[in-house]
Each structure stands twice: as structure tokens, then as C-alpha cells.
Amino acid sequence: MSERSLTIGESDKFVFEKAVITEDNVRALDSLHAWIVVCGSFLLLMVTVGTTNSFGVYLQEYQHEFPTTPKSTLTWIGSLQFGGMCFFGVFAGVLVERFDSRLVVLGGSVGAGAALLISSACTSPAALIITQGVLFGAFGSCILIPTISMPSQWMEKYRALATGIAVAGGSIGGLWMSFATRAMNTQLGYHWSLRINGFMVIAAGCAFSPLMRKRVIVPKRDKIIDFCALSNGKFVLLFVSSLFAAGGYYAPYYYMPPYVESVLKQEGWSANISSILNAGSIVGRVVIGLLADYLGPLNSLLLSSALSTIAVLVLWLPFKSLGTLIASAVIFGFCSGSLVSLIPVITANLFGIKRLSSTIGLLFISYTIGSFVCSPVAGSLLDKYGHGTDYTWTIVYAGLFFAIASCTLLVLRITIERSPFRKV
């Protein structure tokens, strides 16, 4: 075994440490094995993030099952799924650094699947919030953080493309799981949908966790969680932009499906809109990932964030027609997916790959704050000011979050490189 020092810029010293890499792993960079790792990440994210992306279908069932419960309360289930993955991601990142990442993924898969199995026996919104929300999110973080960071460890030349392909698994999962869940809810009831979903997560973890092997091994730190990254100006700007982008990210996924039926009176279109969002995200994460390898990941993310803002505030807000809603869903799905796929690449480029799992875990706390602030508040605006049918203030609220994220990314871009034609 030889030692190699992987270094980054002097301004980003908080990850400036020596990493140990085996010669076999060095030869595996950008190799066939690296693409197999990407494939494993893709499949694991397909069933895990796909579960959160298809929550809008469950939300409709819960609105019928618990008619006296406010929508804002039921929305907490989905918010805690995604927010829990991100909040507990900081701990999952530490586990990946200190233990075998394959065992971390396997344990997370069994725990997340068990959470869905337990939730199938729940009969109250509070119990669903704890099981389908908190528990699934906590264990899901042990799947999300390793799988989303592995492509950057194993790939260099096509890092953005590889990460985009891996993260596209979540959108593909949301695409087919939306239809599958809707069909199972109709034929079997949502209790059995949750059970089948749980067994799928466990099976995927058992099958594909062996592929989640770390390439970079770093020495253990005395601090369990190191918050010194928060003293880095670039990290803070990336953190703030991620917070606001995450705040607006899930609102269309949660509220476009019920909007198309309750406002546009298009029966049976809820699953279609959910699938359009996910289909656009599938293509977007791969295409934008490919472009990011040539234009630069930060440039690509800034452009995507600006277009997402336009999709919400310019298309969805003023027009109440099925055609413009579909156009908004396609553009938003295509562009917004880069929030998830490009952030790990930008993090690796700015701060190095040695502590990538823990750095991403710390960064993903911003996703937790954003999702907790936006989705439940958006639901409250719908209940209080929209009386459950007028989505105007909910749409404005989500759109403003993306607008602020775009402005913050622009500041970060100018801080790193003032020339608009440089690859960043």
C-alpha cells in the first residue's frame, strides 16, 4: 500500500489532510469498476429517493383517510422523509468515514425498510409522521450520503455526468413508483403499498450495498463532527443557496399533483403530473451533468436555478391551464434536479474528496432547514389564505425561495471567478 496526498486550495484548509489510497483503487479511477459503483448508487437511490419523490400519491390517500387533519400537518410526513435524510446525513457521513461504507448502506436499507413496514400498521397522522417520516429519514440518510458521494470518489473525468446518472435513479424511482403506488393504493390500499415499498428498500440494500466501497480512506478525527467548514466563506454561500433551493424544491412535487385535480379539475392527472416532474428530472440530471463537465458545475447549477424560478413564478403562478402546468412541470423537473446532482460535484471540486461524505452531510443540513421551512409553511398558506383551493401564495412562496437561491449562487460564482466565460 502506498500513500498519496490529495490536496486542494490553500483557502479551503478544513479538509486539508493526508488520505490513504491503495494502488488497486488508484488504478480503478474512471474504470469499469467505477461505473459499476455508479450503477449501484443509481439503483439504491431509485428505491430510496424514489419513495420520497412519490409521496404526493400517499398524500392524496392521507387527505381522504384523515379528512379533519390539515394538509400542512400531513405534509410533515414527506418533509421529514427528505429533511430527515439530510439532517441525519451529518451523522451518516461520520459513519461512512469511520466504518465500512457497505455496512452503513446495508444497515440504513434494513432500517428504512422496517420503518415503512411499521408505518403500514399506523392508524394516525402522528404515528405516520414518526415512522414514515422521521424513522425512514434517519435510516435513509445512511443510504443517501454514501451513494451520492461515491461517484465523486471513483470518477474524475466525468464526475458531474456520473453523479447526474446516479442521482437520476431517484427520479426514475419516483416516475414508476408514482404509478405503482397509485395502482397499489387502488387495488390493495395504502397499508399494503407501504409494506411492499418497505420490502423493496430492504431487498435493494441487500443486493447493492456490496458495491458501495470507499475509494479514499482518511484517518479518524478526534472530533466526531467537525463544524470548522462553517468558517469558510464559500461553504457558507453554498450552504445558504442550498437552504433556499431545498426550500422550494419539493413544493411542486407536493402541490402540483393535488393542484391539477382540485383547481384545474383534471381527474386522474395527479400521478401524471408527478411522473412528468420525475421524467423531466431524469433527463435533466443526466444532460445537465454532461454539460457541467464542459461548462462547469457551478455555472450549470446557477442556470438551472434561474430556470426553475421562471418555471414556478412565470408559468405556474399566472396561468391556470393544463398546458402551461405541464410546461412548468417539464422545465422545473429538468432544471431543479441539478440541486441534488451538482451539489456533491461542486463540493468535491471546491473542498476535495477526502472528507467528502462528512462535508456533504454537513452541507445537507441546509436541505433539512429548507424543507422544514418551506413545505409545512406552504401548506399553512394553502390552508389559511387559500382555504385549501387557492394555491397562489403557496406558489409565490416556493418561487421566491428559488429566486433567493439563484441570487446567492450568483454571489458565490462572482466570489470564485468574476469572468462570465470561465468554467467554474
Side-chain angles (χ1 to χ4, degrees), residues 54 104 126 153 156 208 252 282 352 354-355:
S54 60
V104 174
Q153 285 197 17
E156 186 175 38
F208 305 117
I282 293 167
K354 294 184 293 300
R355 299 288 184 185

Side-chain angles (χ1 to χ4, degrees), residues 248-269:
Y249 178 75
Y250 268 97
Y253 284 93
Y254 290 166
Y255 295 108
M256 276 190 180
Y259 175 91
V260 73
E261 295 197 2
S262 64
V263 176
L264 302 185
K265 308 301 181 183
Q266 300 290 332
E267 293 294 330
W269 263 85

Side-chain angles (χ1 to χ4, degrees), residues 163-338:
T163 304
I165 291 172
V167 175
S171 297
I172 291 179
L175 177 64
W176 68 264
M177 288 178 72
S178 294
F179 285 106
T181 301
R182 185 180 181 87
M184 289 188 293
N185 287 345
T186 302
Q187 299 295 326
L188 306 173
Y190 75 85
H191 298 284
W192 269 105
S193 296
L194 289 168
R195 293 181 189 120
I196 295 171
N197 199 166
F199 284 122
M200 286 172 50
V201 173
I202 294 173
C206 292
F208 305 117
S209 60
L211 300 177
M212 296 296 102
R213 179 190 177 192
K214 289 183 292 188
R215 177 177 176 269
V216 179
I217 302 172
V218 293
K220 293 181 180 179
R221 293 180 288 191
D222 294 333
K223 295 180 180 179
I224 297 178
I225 301 175
D226 192 350
F227 291 99
C228 67
L230 296 174
S231 63
N232 183 283
K234 296 174 187 175
F235 184 89
V236 171
L237 286 171
L238 188 60
F239 186 96
V240 173
S241 66
S242 299
L243 187 155
F244 283 101
Y249 178 75
Y250 268 97
Y253 284 93
Y254 290 166
Y255 295 108
M256 276 190 180
Y259 175 91
V260 73
E261 295 197 2
S262 64
V263 176
L264 302 185
K265 308 301 181 183
Q266 300 290 332
E267 293 294 330
W269 263 85
S270 60
N272 294 339
I273 290 296
S274 181
S275 297
I276 289 171
L277 284 164
N278 284 291
S281 186
I282 293 167
V283 178
R285 290 175 180 182
V286 176
V287 173
I288 293 175
L290 181 61
L291 290 175
D293 284 319
Y294 296 95
L295 301 179
L298 185 54
N299 291 336
S300 302
L301 182 61
L302 176 57
L303 178 61
S304 298
S305 182
L307 290 175
S308 296
T309 306
I310 292 172
V312 174
L313 294 180
V314 178
L315 291 178
W316 187 13
L317 177 62
F319 301 104
K320 291 181 172 58
S321 68
L322 181 60
T324 52
L325 183 66
I326 292 174
S328 176
V330 170
I331 295 172
F332 184 85
F334 182 89
C335 296
S336 64
S338 61

